[in-house]
Amino acid sequence: MPLLRFIAGRLVKGVIVLIAIATMNFFLIRAAPGDPASVLAGEAGAADEEFLRQLRQQFGLDQPITTQLWIYLTDIITLDLGFSYRQGRPVLDLILERLPATLLLTGAAFIFSLTLGIIFGILAARRAGKWSDSVITTGALFFYATPLFWIALMSQIIFALWLGWLPNTGFRTIGAGYTGLRYALDVGLHLILPATTLGLFFTALYTRMMRASMLEIAGSDFVKTARAKGVPEGRIVRRHIARNAILPVVTLAGLQAGQIVGGAVLTETVFGWPGIGRLMFEALSQRDYQVLLGVFFVSSAMVVLFNLITDVVYRVADPRIEVGR
Amino acid sequence: MTVLAIDNLSLALPKLADRTYAVEGLSLDIDAGETLCVVGESGSGKSMTAHAVIGLLPSAVKPAGGSIKLAGRELIGLSDGEMRKLRGRDVGMIFQEPMTSLNPVMRISDQILETFESHRMFNAQQRMRRTFELLEEVGLPDPKYIARAFPHELSGGQRQRVMIAVALALEPKLLIADEPTTALDVTTQAQILKLIDELRRKHGTAVLFITHDFGVVAEIADDVAVLQNGLCVESGRAEEVLQKPTHDYTKRLLAAVPSLTPPPPKDLSGEPDALIVRNLHKTYGGRGFFGGGSRKVVAAKDVAFTIKRGETLGLVGESGSGKSTVGRCILRLIEPDDGFIKVGDTEFHGVPVRQLRPLRKRIQMVFQDPYASLNPRRTVGRIIAEGPEAQDVPRADAEKRARELLDLVGLGASSAHRYPHEFSGGQRQRIGIARALALDPDVLVADEPVSALDVSVQAQILDLIQDLQKRLGLAILFVTHDLRVAAQVCDRIAVMQRGEIVELEPTAQLFANPKHPYTRSLLAAVPGAHVKVAAA
Amino acid sequence: MKAFFKRFARNKGAVIGLIILAIILAAAVLAPYFYPTSPWRMVTRPFLAPMAMDGYWLGTDALGRDVASGVMHGARVSLIIGLVSTLTALAIGIPIGALAGYFGGLLDDALMRFTEFFQTIPAFALAIVIVAILQPSLFSIVIAIAIVSWPPVARLVRGEVLSLRSREYVQAAVVIGQSTPRIILTQVLPNTIAPITVMASIMVASAILLESALSFLGLGDPNMMTWGYMIGAGRTRLIEAWWISFFPGVAIFLTVLALNLVGEGLNDALNPRLSREGG
């Protein structure tokens, strides 16, 4: 099965990437000013001598650096991401608890922005040079140039505070005790603003990419062939131009999945969305470096996994690439 | 019966173009079952004419007068919708580049079926049956397999056959072929020409055939129209025009087509060997990251030849035969796997790359693409002087030499401070030759030096190369796919197939009495080989 | 050169972008003349609305600091960080891309795996981690931005070099015996300047966005007034005093927009694809 072998190969590559990221984390801690143990303990924990001693022993900080690295990597591989003194809980537990909210937010934003981006891109390219193209490209440029967190703040003021249409912050209405469908609807309402503001920047990005890709494909020889066959214009756009133009956009979008995770830190912070981005912000203000590095590692792992999935989908979708190569 | 009648057609170019009309006052007719060749050099407006007929002109080019009638129906002024219905059903078209003319993510069958669907012809079952019939008719092996294939799984020749099947699917009255064989190898070209010819006889299709190649014209045309800068300078029955051209331009073009009869051989006895190649091997591929995957391609296998001072050896073959690789291996632009290369009395093989640099001046190269072979950011003078400077000649001397060489290749010393984009293709090729000669080499490797040029310019460059060879006593390895060119400039010819030299003979002997079957098939495929063309 | 300006000027957006950029540059240079005192200093009473009092036309923040002064001083930090981090990223990306593209083979494989690795990591999260661990400062911010933004440069340069090195004029340089460093420096790299310039102008824009996001999270240089910091500081009092966050955001938007417009203009002027098609 060449497809299975391909997936296996990519998995191995993904694991190598994750080990490399862990190694980088390890050296970053040592690049920080001060004793690694107190860096790891964070601001609050550094005062506790007992905790520091425990850390030194756990990370083998009195042993040679290669041994330390080995201990660190084996910890990571066994999913031991450390302990948060501040929260009094293992880092992995903290992250797993927050992960679903982030997956929901980033997933919604990704689907939203990719769908809209492709649609707008096709519309703009079809009307290249006309006013509707100008409206779309200007809009795309606007959201491409505006800081994501600022849009988040402004939409919070307008839609939640002034107009009162949507909830201001959080994941659900606290104390409402909703269940079932009502609960899903409540979460959905809370999701609208964060997902939209996170997705707008990427919608702009994908719109620009899709438009450029459409215009490039429209000049291809095979499009001329289709015209020479007498294929109706709408069908040329759908079956010949758009179908070929989407492939590179989807690949690029998959490769840039990491950017959405990064953007989630900002959106979650503004909207108080209880995901790992918000966790990262909290860790930042509490100087809880084990949590910070843990979130970084897990979000990288998410991106690696996501890239693998898009890669597999792409291999299956494009006949030109032989699976297994 | 007249299928296509073009009367006094003019096509206006946008304001900033270098002339007002792409085509001006053009009139021509094609009868059912006949082939009309429109011949011209690049920029003559021949391709625009074809696109005007099928209504696919670039948006900047507009018809500015005259009429195009297809089976009596006026095409100019038809709405987009009406024109669309006509395309594919009444006019079919095939293009130059088979590699990019098919949609890469659609199966072949879908691309043919789409033609029926677009014109709402037949039911699903009939469409499928007709698709297989068409694939069979254009001579594709195993139509069942081809129908399910994607374009990248087919060769260039096979793709062009699919294009023909697509164009002829609805049995149009007119087939437009825009340089359909220019991108193909000579043997494939012969097959495609034969196929087009057979199909138009069988179906009584009128063919509008655009080409720059008089050989192709001689092969298939019933009528000819010669275009120069948008004006039709001469038209008539093919044999008339080819044998008794009346217009000067036609005469010049015909005279520039190299003849297949080689000139009398030079006397090279007593000349020393300038280049000796023995046992040259090169294989590409075989290195995959996880072991398998990449295929091996043999580009050179036990290649051996010798060139004397003042002699030209032609290295002839189709694409993928390894001829260019051999040329580059000798220059050590590509590292050969194994081999003995001796330039004059210096052994060139096995020399470490660092010590190779001073030796490089003995063997130089002229490249194919006049647009890609000159650095756009440097003046012509610098481009030529860089060679001697790299060999530690003082800058002032090198620049003086550059000016002398520009004179020698006929451009004048004053062009030294101009940039490459200010020159035409032929002039750029002269600059490339001057650069190669700046190091006073003993051996020149010329890799398809004229194949990117129009035929009239081609003749001038070939004359220049031969003249310089006489004056400087150069040994030349002339790599080409064009047997006509080889016949005119080469003293001996080596025919390559799949990395091996299958035959190496003096030119006259090779043409008169080819021994290897591959040589014979190559010679037989040269378009217009058996048609008499007016001599210069 | 004249043709370059002509093509650039034909793009109206690019000209507008250049004008906006000139204004922001002027603001950055003239900030100490208009507002000689530190933008951190309290000048009048807090929460003063825009236009409410003469001389404080963008209002004041929660500590009575002048928003207009902050916006003008913030321009300096944004532009400096944008420029320096872009130059640093170019200094990392160009050599890596050039070596990978020119030499190919195993070196290319190794360098590109390395580049891909940095592209896979969520860029903003990495930047946060770097700045947090090294402690926020001008230096750590520039390093963090450079580290997350060099990979596209390396890929672009590699692609260009890869296509240029097989170009016949580069082969001609080998044939006449030029040395490899000389070929890379005189034949190959000068022909990659156009796409690199275009990319660099867009990179300055992204760097400014990235810096503002870091400052917003409290990772800005504590000694410098930045736009991102102002937005972050105003966020808790959003309902009463929207202007504290609003105006710095507009400043970021205008700067990034202008740089993108200029980038598009440069692209049109330096890669005249349309005019080449006609030739």
Side-chain angles (χ1 to χ4, degrees):
Chain A
M1 275 300 282
L3 185 65
L4 278 182
R5 214 170 66 201
F6 169 72
I7 295 175
R10 290 306 314 264
L11 269 175
V12 171
K13 211 174 134 191
V15 170
I16 294 174
V17 169
L18 289 179
I19 292 175
I21 290 173
T23 313
M24 196 170 70
N25 279 354
F26 174 82
F27 285 108
L28 262 174
I29 298 164
R30 269 127 199 104
D35 165 34
S38 45
V39 171
L40 282 169
E43 203 162 58
D48 186 340
E49 261 312 314
E50 173 59 20
F51 184 58
L52 282 183
R53 201 186 53 73
Q54 213 182 314
L55 275 176
R56 287 205 183 88
Q57 198 198 347
Q58 187 200 339
F59 287 96
L61 293 180
D62 46 355
Q63 289 169 53
I65 193 131
T66 44
T67 322
Q68 291 180 34
L69 177 62
W70 178 248
I71 293 171
Y72 187 77
L73 290 181
T74 36
D75 279 356
I76 296 262
I77 286 169
T78 53
L79 286 178
D80 178 1
L81 297 179
F83 188 83
S84 165
Y85 182 86
R86 186 71 182 237
Q87 314 250 13
R89 294 175 61 192
V91 173
L92 187 67
D93 288 4
L94 285 169
I95 292 175
L96 286 182
E97 186 181 287
R98 305 279 197 108
L99 198 56
T102 297
L103 288 177
L104 180 65
L105 173 64
T106 49
F110 183 72
I111 292 167
F112 161 81
S113 53
L114 194 57
T115 317
L116 274 189
I118 287 174
I119 293 173
F120 282 141
I122 293 176
L123 286 178
R126 286 321 298 157
R127 313 233 183 311
K130 308 232 173 68
W131 69 268
S132 44
D133 174 34
S134 307
V135 170
I136 292 174
T137 43
T138 310
L141 189 61
F142 178 87
F143 287 111
Y144 189 71
T146 320
L148 204 147
F149 53 92
W150 187 74
I151 296 208
L153 283 177
M154 293 303 133
S155 58
Q156 200 176 23
I157 302 187
I158 297 171
F159 295 104
L161 301 178
W162 289 353
L163 297 172
W165 289 352
L166 291 162
N168 182 6
T169 57
F171 182 76
R172 61 191 167 91
T173 314
I174 304 211
Y178 293 132
T179 50
L181 212 58
R182 189 70 189 79
Y183 175 77
L185 186 72
D186 186 47
V187 172
L189 275 179
H190 281 83
L191 181 64
I192 292 177
L193 272 185
T196 317
T197 48
L198 175 57
L200 274 176
F201 173 82
F202 296 95
T203 308
L205 188 70
Y206 301 150
T207 302
R208 286 160 67 107
M209 277 167 19
M210 188 66 195
R211 180 178 180 274
S213 182
M214 286 285 289
L215 290 178
E216 198 190 316
I217 300 284
S220 305
D221 285 349
F222 64 81
V223 174
K224 201 158 89 176
T225 305
R227 293 227 161 81
K229 288 195 276 199
V231 179
E233 198 56 30
R235 191 176 165 129
I236 290 183
V237 172
R238 260 180 292 121
R239 293 201 35 177
H240 293 275
I241 306 179
R243 230 176 111 183
N244 279 283
I246 282 178
L247 285 173
V249 173
V250 171
T251 334
L252 236 75
L255 277 177
Q256 288 175 337
Q259 282 198 33
I260 294 203
V261 177
V265 180
L266 295 165
T267 347
E268 289 182 4
T269 305
V270 171
F271 289 103
W273 188 261
I276 57 171
R278 169 108 188 139
L279 182 66
M280 196 171 198
F281 178 69
E282 288 160 7
L284 207 57
S285 43
Q286 295 160 357
R287 292 172 198 257
D288 198 345
Y289 291 117
Q290 294 218 62
V291 174
L292 195 65
L293 291 170
V295 172
F296 174 57
F297 183 79
V298 170
S299 52
S300 302
M302 266 168 63
V303 174
V304 167
L305 190 70
F306 189 76
N307 282 346
L308 192 144
I309 295 169
T310 42
D311 239 25
V312 173
V313 171
Y314 190 67
R315 301 268 153 159
V316 176
D318 190 342
R320 277 166 297 185
I321 303 168
E322 283 174 43
V323 170
R325 265 284 176 85
Chain B
M1 192 193 79
T2 306
V3 173
L4 179 72
I6 297 180
D7 187 38
N8 200 23
L9 176 73
S10 293
L11 300 173
L13 284 170
K15 277 205 187 84
L16 294 166
D18 51 1
R19 61 176 197 250
T20 328
Y21 294 105
V23 172
E24 199 176 348
L26 177 72
S27 301
L28 38 91
D29 296 292
I30 314 177
D31 287 346
E34 298 250 300
T35 301
L36 170 86
C37 277
V38 176
V39 206
E41 298 190 287
S42 45
S44 61
K46 55 188 191 302
S47 195
M48 287 291 176
T49 310
H51 284 81
V53 173
I54 199 163
L56 290 176
L57 284 172
S59 54
V61 183
K62 301 252 179 333
S67 92
I68 302 173
K69 284 203 173 99
L70 183 71
R73 185 178 179 199
E74 179 60 52
L75 301 188
I76 289 185
L78 278 191
S79 72
D80 286 354
E82 287 168 316
M83 201 65 219
R84 189 209 37 96
K85 285 188 190 139
L86 214 105
R87 287 199 287 262
R89 203 185 59 204
D90 296 325
V91 196
M93 184 158 178
I94 47 180
F95 301 95
Q96 177 171 349
E97 261 308 328
M99 306 314 270
T100 52
S101 292
L102 292 166
N103 187 337
V105 299
M106 266 169 94
R107 291 182 195 282
I108 298 296
S109 53
D110 291 337
Q111 309 205 32
I112 298 177
L113 286 170
E114 191 175 35
T115 317
F116 302 123
E117 288 159 12
S118 298
H119 295 277
R120 301 176 192 282
M121 307 276 268
F122 313 129
N123 62 31
Q125 217 181 350
Q126 288 168 321
R127 285 172 184 169
M128 209 56 217
R129 206 181 58 227
R130 184 88 183 98
T131 299
F132 288 127
E133 279 170 20
L134 278 164
L135 290 172
E136 186 122 31
E137 194 173 7
V138 296
L140 283 164
D142 197 356
K144 285 243 161 57
Y145 167 78
I146 298 271
R148 287 195 50 75
F150 287 99
H152 71 272
E153 298 169 69
L154 308 186
S155 71
Q158 287 177 323
R159 290 191 213 190
Q160 204 59 309
R161 285 174 194 269
V162 171
M163 282 297 293
I164 294 173
V166 169
L168 296 179
L170 301 176
E171 304 205 9
K173 303 180 191 82
L174 175 69
L175 173 70
I176 302 175
D178 187 2
E179 302 250 14
T181 58
T182 308
L184 303 174
D185 275 327
V186 57
T187 46
T188 319
Q189 160 167 298
Q191 291 162 10
I192 295 291
L193 289 177
K194 195 161 152 256
L195 176 67
I196 293 176
D197 214 39
E198 276 170 18
L199 290 173
R200 65 123 178 175
R201 271 176 223 287
K202 195 166 145 201
H203 299 283
T205 319
V207 179
L208 174 62
F209 198 105
I210 312 294
T211 183
H212 67 281
D213 185 343
F214 269 106
V216 171
V217 176
E219 201 73 24
I220 61 158
D222 297 306
D223 293 304
V224 182
V226 183
L227 254 57
Q228 182 193 20
N229 295 329
L231 293 170
C232 179
V233 296
E234 183 163 5
S235 61
R237 298 301 284 176
E239 53 271 29
E240 294 271 313
V241 175
L242 291 177
Q243 280 162 34
K244 297 189 215 78
T246 53
H247 195 276
D248 274 351
Y249 181 69
T250 318
K251 285 183 194 162
R252 273 216 312 280
L253 279 185
L254 281 168
V257 178
S259 152
L260 273 172
T261 317
K266 290 182 250 181
D267 179 22
L268 292 165
S269 55
E271 294 286 356
D273 289 344
L275 175 69
I276 303 170
V277 176
R278 295 276 173 271
N279 190 28
L280 188 74
H281 287 268
K282 177 73 190 175
T283 305
Y284 288 114
R287 187 195 72 100
F289 198 68
F290 287 106
S294 48
R295 288 172 302 169
K296 280 190 181 180
V297 178
V298 178
K301 190 175 168 194
D302 202 13
V303 169
F305 53 78
T306 305
I307 311 180
K308 287 186 164 157
R309 203 182 110 87
E311 185 188 29
T312 304
L313 176 74
L315 202 53
V316 174
E318 298 188 290
S319 54
S321 64
K323 57 186 192 303
S324 283
T325 303
V326 168
R328 283 174 156 73
C329 277
I330 293 167
L331 283 150
R332 300 265 314 262
L333 265 176
I334 295 173
E335 280 304 316
D337 297 337
D338 189 15
F340 174 91
I341 304 158
K342 196 169 164 188
V343 182
D345 48 11
T346 317
E347 289 190 6
F348 215 61
H349 60 93
V351 180
V353 176
R354 273 174 204 289
Q355 291 161 35
L356 194 63
R357 277 182 45 212
L359 302 179
R360 284 198 179 277
K361 61 170 181 270
R362 318 238 3 218
I363 176 163
Q364 287 294 304
M365 180 158 180
V366 176
F367 293 88
Q368 172 175 2
D369 186 348
Y371 291 89
S373 62
L374 305 175
N375 188 339
R377 289 181 180 266
R378 300 179 96 71
T379 61
V380 168
R382 298 256 11 97
I383 288 173
I384 300 170
E386 266 172 356
E389 278 173 38
Q391 304 289 343
D392 300 325
V393 173
R395 187 170 177 141
D397 295 355
E399 286 183 345
K400 186 161 156 273
R401 179 91 184 108
R403 286 192 294 274
E404 288 167 15
L405 280 162
L406 282 168
D407 251 340
L408 184 72
V409 298
L411 287 176
S414 59
S415 27
H417 58 267
R418 290 162 66 191
Y419 285 88
H421 70 262
E422 299 173 51
F423 295 90
S424 69
Q427 288 172 324
R428 291 186 198 206
Q429 210 54 317
R430 288 171 190 268
I431 298 166
I433 292 170
R435 168 176 57 196
L437 295 181
L439 291 165
D440 296 317
D442 305 323
V443 182
L444 198 62
V445 175
D447 185 10
E448 304 264 13
V450 295
S451 38
L453 305 174
D454 276 331
V455 61
S456 53
V457 185
Q458 210 173 45
Q460 295 164 14
I461 298 295
L462 290 177
D463 282 347
L464 176 70
I465 291 176
Q466 283 178 297
D467 177 49
L468 290 169
Q469 176 178 45
K470 218 175 289 167
R471 279 207 249 173
L472 307 171
L474 290 165
I476 300 179
L477 177 66
F478 198 100
V479 180
T480 183
H481 71 283
D482 190 335
L483 278 165
R484 288 177 177 276
V485 168
Q488 288 313 302
V489 299
C490 299
D491 300 299
R492 287 182 301 147
I493 291 179
V495 178
M496 278 195 82
Q497 184 191 21
R498 281 184 232 113
E500 284 182 89
I501 293 183
V502 296
E503 186 161 4
L504 199 172
E505 294 292 342
T507 306
Q509 205 170 320
L510 187 99
F511 277 84
N513 186 17
K515 291 196 191 72
H516 195 275
Y518 182 66
T519 314
R520 268 181 247 143
S521 70
L522 271 187
L523 282 171
V526 175
H530 314 291
V531 182
K532 225 185 106 208
V533 168
Chain C
M1 214 50 196
K2 226 171 108 190
F4 167 81
F5 284 116
K6 236 185 187 166
R7 279 197 295 265
F8 186 86
R10 209 183 296 158
N11 184 332
K12 273 188 223 107
V15 176
I16 295 173
L18 208 59
I19 294 171
I20 301 177
L21 208 57
I23 295 172
I24 292 162
L25 204 66
V29 172
L30 298 177
Y33 297 97
F34 281 103
Y35 299 99
T37 54
S38 160
W40 297 94
R41 240 187 62 185
M42 182 180 156
V43 285
T44 180
R45 66 189 160 81
F47 295 121
L48 198 61
M51 303 295 184
M53 196 199 278
D54 265 0
Y56 303 103
W57 46 289
L58 296 186
T60 58
D61 72 0
L63 297 173
R65 297 177 294 210
D66 188 345
V67 174
S69 167
V71 167
M72 276 183 86
H73 282 272
R76 324 185 85 184
V77 184
S78 286
L79 290 181
I80 288 172
I81 288 185
L83 269 177
V84 177
S85 57
T86 299
L87 290 178
T88 315
L90 291 179
I92 306 171
I94 292 176
I96 289 184
L99 290 177
Y102 193 84
F103 291 102
L106 280 178
L107 182 68
D108 181 29
D109 275 356
L111 288 176
M112 279 304 108
R113 289 299 91 78
F114 185 66
T115 310
E116 259 172 37
F117 169 69
F118 274 94
Q119 271 195 314
T120 310
I121 306 174
F124 186 56
L126 176 61
I128 291 176
V129 169
I130 293 176
V131 176
I133 289 186
L134 297 183
Q135 303 305 321
S137 70
L138 193 64
F139 173 77
S140 66
I141 293 170
V142 164
I143 290 296
I145 296 177
I147 283 180
V148 300
S149 43
W150 68 266
V153 181
R155 293 185 83 100
L156 174 85
V157 172
R158 173 184 177 268
E160 290 287 318
V161 170
L162 204 61
S163 94
L164 286 171
R165 66 153 294 176
S166 61
R167 208 60 70 81
E168 291 182 342
Y169 64 81
V170 176
Q171 300 196 346
V174 176
V175 170
I176 61 174
Q178 279 195 342
S179 66
T180 306
R182 200 186 165 92
I183 291 173
I184 295 180
L185 289 176
T186 67
Q187 312 280 1
V188 178
L189 282 182
N191 284 298
T192 63
I193 285 176
I196 291 178
T197 312
V198 173
M199 183 177 249
S201 65
I202 311 283
M203 279 171 67
V204 176
S206 331
I208 288 175
L209 277 180
L210 207 54
E211 187 278 330
S212 71
L214 287 171
S215 303
F216 173 76
L217 292 179
L219 290 173
D221 185 318
N223 302 313
M224 290 190 213
M225 180 59 81
T226 67
W227 293 336
Y229 165 81
M230 293 169 76
I231 298 175
R235 139 177 132 80
T236 45
R237 315 303 287 265
L238 212 50
I239 313 170
E240 313 95 288
W242 54 271
W243 58 88
I244 305 174
S245 294
F246 180 76
F247 291 111
V250 172
I252 298 173
F253 164 68
L254 286 176
T255 315
V256 174
L257 178 76
L259 282 163
N260 274 296
L261 289 173
V262 169
E264 277 174 22
L266 284 175
N267 192 29
D268 289 355
L270 291 171
N271 306 325
R273 222 179 312 157
L274 291 171
S275 59
R276 210 183 296 157
E277 270 172 16

